[in-house]
Amino acid sequence: MTVVDLLPLVMLGAVLGLDVVSFPQMMISRPIVAATLAGALLGEPARGLMVGVLLECFALETLPVGASRYPEWASASVVAGSLLATAPSAGPGVLTLAVLVGLVVAWVGGWSMVQVRRVNAHLAAQRHAAVARGSRRVVEGLQIWGLSLDLLRGAALTLVSLLLATPATHRLLAFWNVSDRLSRAVVVGLAASVAAAAVWKLFHAVAGARWWMFGGIVAGLLLMAVR
Amino acid sequence: MTMALPFGTRAAIFLRLLAIQGSWNYETLLGNGIGFCLEPALRRLPGGRDGAAYREALARQSQYFNAHPYMAAAAVGALARAELDGEPPERIIRFRTALCGPLGSVGDRLVWASWLPLCSIVALGAFGLGAGAVGTVLIFLALYNLGHFGLRLWALQAGYTHGLRVAAALGSPVLRNGPTILARTGALLGGLSLPLVLDRIIGPGRAVFGVVLLAATVGGVLLARLHGRVEGWKIAIGILACFVLYAVIR
């Protein structure tokens, strides 16, 4: 991957990373969008979408609720989408490795968000007196500083992850010794398990929801059979 | 008498609301963001930006606050109205404290636990039915942001209209019954979408599809039963790492 390829991806990771919490939270940071955009930047939107769909299945399980700690899917999806889009071929193992890297980067990204929040807390504590005096400059400054820090976080995470994961993935692919069908089956099976459990956990408490889900599964299978 | 906010001020508040979590932290949570969003309205207090009323109000509004980021628009609208109406500071502080809980729980249930997963499921379903990259992404973003921007605009307007009586607006049938309707729809579409997604990614071969469907069902039931004790995506990292090792050293 050249610098010309890296720069737009890093910028995409930064902007989408910002969307997770800071600005504007319109969910361009969701895997299904972020990975597709990364793939599109590299001329392979369909491959980006494929990995985006799988990561979206995992992301269904994690709710971005306020102070809770959750994975950061945006930069992770940009990295995973790029890995799949830049792989020499869409052969065995590529999808599996892209999803694995995406999950790991999402974990690290979640940790990096916590660090940004700690820095924000430190800055807010240092400027508490000025805020208590009603200083507009300080109130706006804290906001702009927090936004900038989050933007840098997304860029750094995307850059480091791409620099580490791209050569590592290519090296592992050279030794890959399992069929494409089995490789796909494992990763798709895992994603579907997590997504099914997530849908259940989210909605089962509502009266009748389990029957709605069961009806949906039957309808989905019927639709598949007649297509 | 209530002061009508000019369009420019409302637009500035709305744009700032999109960045309300810009300085989110574990000490003041959304607090600084509330002050940041209210600032354009506070300029209309007697004395303007250099007045004592402006500085006191900005200081008051930049303290600790917690709410769902979209529903915080209702707080910003109501607090702007209270400040511009000249309500006593102690009353504003009490009201501000009382708002945190309801705005957090209503927003979390409606958006994070219902609307967002439903929109993801719809996009997954569209993919499963054969939608391409542009179609899938556009369906997700258009649907999600229809609700997102609609909610923020409504909340800001409701907050400013009702002021300290904004709790009445929170009793709206959409907020009360919305999560239940969205949950049933999400459950139905979730069940419908997942087999279609599996089918499209696995490709031709009914035998493999059957095995994966069975494995996914067993895995899903196990993860659902372990709800609250394990996180599926973390388990997936372990399993995938083991599989990669197997695939390269085999």
Side-chain angles (χ1 to χ4, degrees), chain B residues 197-212:
Chain B
V197 170
L198 279 182
D199 187 41
R200 180 158 176 199
I201 297 184
I202 292 172
R206 289 289 183 223
V208 179
F209 176 81
V211 172
V212 174

Side-chain angles (χ1 to χ4, degrees), chain A residues 20-28 30 32-33 36-37 45-46 49-50 53-54 56-58 60-71 73 95-97 99-100 103-104 106-107 113-114 116-118 120-122 124-125 128 131-136 138-140 142-147 172-173 175-179 181-190 192-197 199-204 206-210 212-221 223-225 227, chain B residues 15-16 18-29 32-33 35-36 39 43 49 54-56 58-59 62-63 66 69-70 108 112-114 116-118 120-121 123-124 127-134 136-137 140-141 144-145 148-149 152 179-180 182-202 204-206 208-209 212-213 215-221 223-224 227-228 230-237 239-241 243-244 246-250:
Chain A
V20 176
V21 169
S22 301
F23 177 85
Q25 278 203 308
M26 53 191 289
M27 297 302 139
I28 47 176
R30 291 297 288 189
I32 206 163
V33 181
T36 309
L37 288 178
L49 176 65
M50 184 75 82
V53 162
L54 288 169
E56 188 71 38
C57 288
F58 290 107
L60 270 176
E61 192 191 28
T62 55
L63 303 177
V65 177
S68 66
R69 296 181 181 199
Y70 44 85
W73 295 107
L95 187 63
T96 313
L97 284 170
V99 170
L100 176 60
L103 290 171
V104 172
W107 199 341
M113 276 173 30
V114 171
V116 167
R117 289 169 169 191
R118 286 191 176 145
N120 284 343
H122 179 69
H128 179 73
V131 172
R133 284 197 304 273
S135 164
R136 178 176 64 91
V138 172
V139 169
E140 291 181 343
L142 281 172
Q143 209 71 9
I144 289 164
W145 177 256
L147 288 163
L172 285 171
L173 283 174
F175 296 101
W176 198 267
N177 211 6
V178 170
S179 72
R181 181 161 283 196
L182 178 60
S183 305
R184 269 175 192 253
V186 169
V187 73
V188 172
L190 279 170
S193 296
V194 174
V199 172
W200 177 264
K201 285 186 274 189
L202 279 167
F203 303 131
H204 80 281
V206 172
R210 57 191 69 190
W212 286 86
M213 187 174 173
F214 181 69
I217 291 171
V218 171
L221 292 172
L223 197 59
M224 266 179 50
R227 274 205 304 172
Chain B
L15 279 178
R16 287 177 179 226
L18 299 178
I20 194 168
Q21 295 200 115
S23 63
W24 201 100
N25 63 76
Y26 294 114
E27 300 296 323
T28 57
L29 307 187
N32 195 75
F36 174 73
E39 196 274 335
R43 291 178 208 163
R49 270 184 181 177
Y54 169 91
R55 283 198 303 276
E56 283 166 19
L58 187 59
S62 304
Q63 304 304 313
N66 191 24
Y70 300 175
D108 286 349
W112 295 154
S114 302
L116 175 59
L118 176 63
S120 286
I121 286 166
L124 290 174
F127 169 82
L129 287 170
V134 175
T136 307
V137 167
F140 172 75
L141 288 178
Y144 181 79
N145 286 300
H148 165 209
F149 285 107
R152 287 214 209 227
T180 305
L182 294 177
R184 286 183 184 146
T185 314
L188 175 73
L189 295 181
L192 185 80
S193 300
L194 289 177
L196 297 173
V197 170
L198 279 182
D199 187 41
R200 180 158 176 199
I201 297 184
I202 292 172
R206 289 289 183 223
V208 179
F209 176 81
V212 174
L213 186 66
T217 307
V218 172
V221 170
L223 286 173
H227 177 36
V230 296
E231 288 178 277
W233 67 278
K234 285 185 181 170
I235 292 177
I237 290 178
I239 295 174
L240 282 178
F243 180 70
V244 168
Y246 166 75
V248 297
I249 62 174
R250 185 170 170 242

